[in-house]
């Protein structure tokens, strides 16, 4: 009986962290490589040029005002209360101006702008929604889809489905520094019931806070912008204390998840939640006028 001594390629071995999106991208890449004829040999200069990362151009500017709300977790809330009513005496943190790469990721940028410019009466806006998780020294998350009365986002029904989430080219930029704006896919909406909703849209986003890069977010989330102004506000948000479970609680949670206990996922929903309510108090687009022409010489 003959045995093959050819080693199995490492890239084909199963990996515990593979997601459905990773498998889809892998299948697309493999199918394409098998169906196309061998590529012609490229010169070293051409190969180097093709390996260079894309050069994103800022096409749009969005502002977001962040505030602290002292009353959101008070026990005397009524059913009609929401962020706009509970946080009328909030403390402003400051304004963050974001530059978006509309030429590189048109669908992602268009959807993000729609969520910033939508009418507040439809609840389809980032305005008056929570920063729901902060990972100290790394990034914070905002725009979780769910119930507006809980400070979450309800995307409009006509928001386009983001086909860029399964396009490998969309993952070319990295989370290499503080102030990177990214569409959150790896952490996006822990509740599976939300994800399986036909009206589900990818609207949750993250902003890296530094001080260092976040390479573990690369190839899992779509970088579509950068912080142009207000990095001090981002740093202030990152410094807000969060709920951190003890190591013993984490171990019990892992054990419960291993045995299929659904309560483990519910318990993790409050991990890294800020202990002081921070939210997006306003957002919109900044129109930048064209610079004046230089005077003509006689």
């Amino acid at each position: 009986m003959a045995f093959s001594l050819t080693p199995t390629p490492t890239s084909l071995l199963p990996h515990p962290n593979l997601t459905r999106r990773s498998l889809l991208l892998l299948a697309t890449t493999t199918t394409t490589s098998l169906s196309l004829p061998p590529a012609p040999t490229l010169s070293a200069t051409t190969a180097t040029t093709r390996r260079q990362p894309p050069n994103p151009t800022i096409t749009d500017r969005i502002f977001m005002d962040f505030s602290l709300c002292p009353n959101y977790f008070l026990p005397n809330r009524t059913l009609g209360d929401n962020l706009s009513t509970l946080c009328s005496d909030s403390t402003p943190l400051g304004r963050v101006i974001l530059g978006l790469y509309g030429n590189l990721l048109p669908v992602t940028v268009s959807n993000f702008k729609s969520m910033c410019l939508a009418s507040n009466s439809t609840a389809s806006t980032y305005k008056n929604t929570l920063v729901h998780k902060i990972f100290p020294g790394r990034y914070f998350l905002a725009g979780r889809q769910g119930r507006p009365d809980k400070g979450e986002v309800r995307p409009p029904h006509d928001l386009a489905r983001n086909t860029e989430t399964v396009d490998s080219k969309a993952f070319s930029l990295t989370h290499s520094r503080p102030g990177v704006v990214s569409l959150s896919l790896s952490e996006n909406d822990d509740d599976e019931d939300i994800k399986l909703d036909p009206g589900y849209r990818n609207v949750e986003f993250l902003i890296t806070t530094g001080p260092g890069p976040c390479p573990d977010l690369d190839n899992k989330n779509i970088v579509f912008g950068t912080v142009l102004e207000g990095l001090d506000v981002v740093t202030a948000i990152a410094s807000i204390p969060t709920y951190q479970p003890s190591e013993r609680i984490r171990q019990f949670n892992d054990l419960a998840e291993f045995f299929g206990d659904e309560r483990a996922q519910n318990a993790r929903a409050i991990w890294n939640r800020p202990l002081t309510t921070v939210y997006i108090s306003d957002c919109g687009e900044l129109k930048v006028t064209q610079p004046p022409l230089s005077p003509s010489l006689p």
Side-chain angles (χ1 to χ4, degrees), residues 112-170:
F112 185 79
K113 283 181 59 179
S114 297
M115 295 300 300
C116 290
L117 304 177
S119 170
N120 194 36
S121 61
T122 63
S124 300
T125 174
Y126 288 130
K127 184 176 180 179
N128 292 324
T129 59
L130 294 172
V131 173
H132 56 276
K133 285 193 178 182
I134 301 173
F135 296 83
R138 304 182 67 225
Y139 61 95
F140 67 78
L141 283 166
R144 184 180 189 271
Q145 180 168 329
R147 293 169 48 184
D149 61 319
K150 295 176 61 178
E152 298 169 338
V153 175
R154 179 186 297 160
H157 296 294
D158 58 350
L159 194 70
R161 285 191 176 274
N162 194 341
T163 56
E164 292 168 347
T165 59
V166 292
D167 184 354
S168 58
K169 297 178 183 177

Side-chain angles (χ1 to χ4, degrees), residues 247-288:
E247 185 59 31
R248 186 175 181 83
I249 291 177
R250 290 180 182 273
Q251 292 174 354
F252 274 120
N253 187 273
D254 291 340
L255 183 63
E257 185 178 30
F258 176 78
F259 285 109
D261 192 335
E262 296 180 356
R263 292 174 294 180
Q265 181 174 317
N266 297 332
R268 286 197 304 272
I270 64 171
W271 295 6
N272 296 102
R273 179 178 292 178
L275 299 180
T276 302
T277 303
V278 55
Y279 72 106
I280 302 170
S281 51
D282 198 8
C283 57
E285 184 177 14
L286 291 177
K287 294 291 187 180
V288 180

Side-chain angles (χ1 to χ4, degrees), residues 38-279:
T41 304
L42 300 177
S43 64
T45 304
T46 305
T48 303
T49 302
R50 290 195 175 185
R51 283 197 299 269
Q52 289 179 350
N55 183 20
T57 301
I58 293 175
T59 58
D60 305 273
R61 288 168 173 81
I62 294 293
F63 74 86
M64 283 189 169
D65 295 336
F66 292 88
S67 300
L68 295 177
C69 176
N71 304 322
Y72 187 70
F73 290 115
L74 293 181
N76 57 347
R77 293 181 54 176
T78 62
L79 292 177
D81 285 334
N82 53 34
L83 277 170
S84 60
T85 59
L86 290 171
C87 302
S88 57
D89 57 346
S90 60
T91 303
L93 279 176
R95 172 167 290 189
V96 178
I97 298 178
L98 311 175
L100 310 182
Y101 310 141
N103 292 336
L104 183 64
L105 297 158
V107 179
T108 301
V109 168
S110 176
N111 284 356
F112 185 79
K113 283 181 59 179
S114 297
M115 295 300 300
C116 290
L117 304 177
S119 170
N120 194 36
S121 61
T122 63
S124 300
T125 174
Y126 288 130
K127 184 176 180 179
N128 292 324
T129 59
L130 294 172
V131 173
H132 56 276
K133 285 193 178 182
I134 301 173
F135 296 83
R138 304 182 67 225
Y139 61 95
F140 67 78
L141 283 166
R144 184 180 189 271
Q145 180 168 329
R147 293 169 48 184
D149 61 319
K150 295 176 61 178
E152 298 169 338
V153 175
R154 179 186 297 160
H157 296 294
D158 58 350
L159 194 70
R161 285 191 176 274
N162 194 341
T163 56
E164 292 168 347
T165 59
V166 292
D167 184 354
S168 58
K169 297 178 183 177
F171 298 85
S172 55
L173 298 179
T174 60
H175 303 74
S176 56
R177 52 184 172 75
V180 171
V181 185
S182 182
L183 186 68
S184 177
L185 303 176
S186 58
E187 293 282 349
N188 203 334
D189 297 330
D190 297 331
D191 191 345
E192 289 294 333
D193 291 336
I194 294 178
K195 282 186 170 183
L196 297 177
D197 188 327
Y200 176 80
R201 295 292 185 270
N202 301 103
V203 294
E204 186 175 349
F205 65 96
L206 64 87
I207 299 180
T208 57
T209 60
C214 296
D216 57 307
L217 299 178
D218 297 343
N219 302 313
K220 300 176 183 177
N221 309 275
I222 299 176
V223 176
F224 67 94
T226 184
V227 173
L228 299 177
E229 297 180 30
L231 197 56
D232 57 327
V233 179
V234 173
T235 304
I237 295 173
S239 66
I240 295 174
T242 60
Y243 170 72
Q244 298 294 329
S246 65
E247 185 59 31
R248 186 175 181 83
I249 291 177
R250 290 180 182 273
Q251 292 174 354
F252 274 120
N253 187 273
D254 291 340
L255 183 63
E257 185 178 30
F258 176 78
F259 285 109
D261 192 335
E262 296 180 356
R263 292 174 294 180
Q265 181 174 317
N266 297 332
R268 286 197 304 272
I270 64 171
W271 295 6
N272 296 102
R273 179 178 292 178
L275 299 180
T276 302
T277 303
V278 55
Y279 72 106

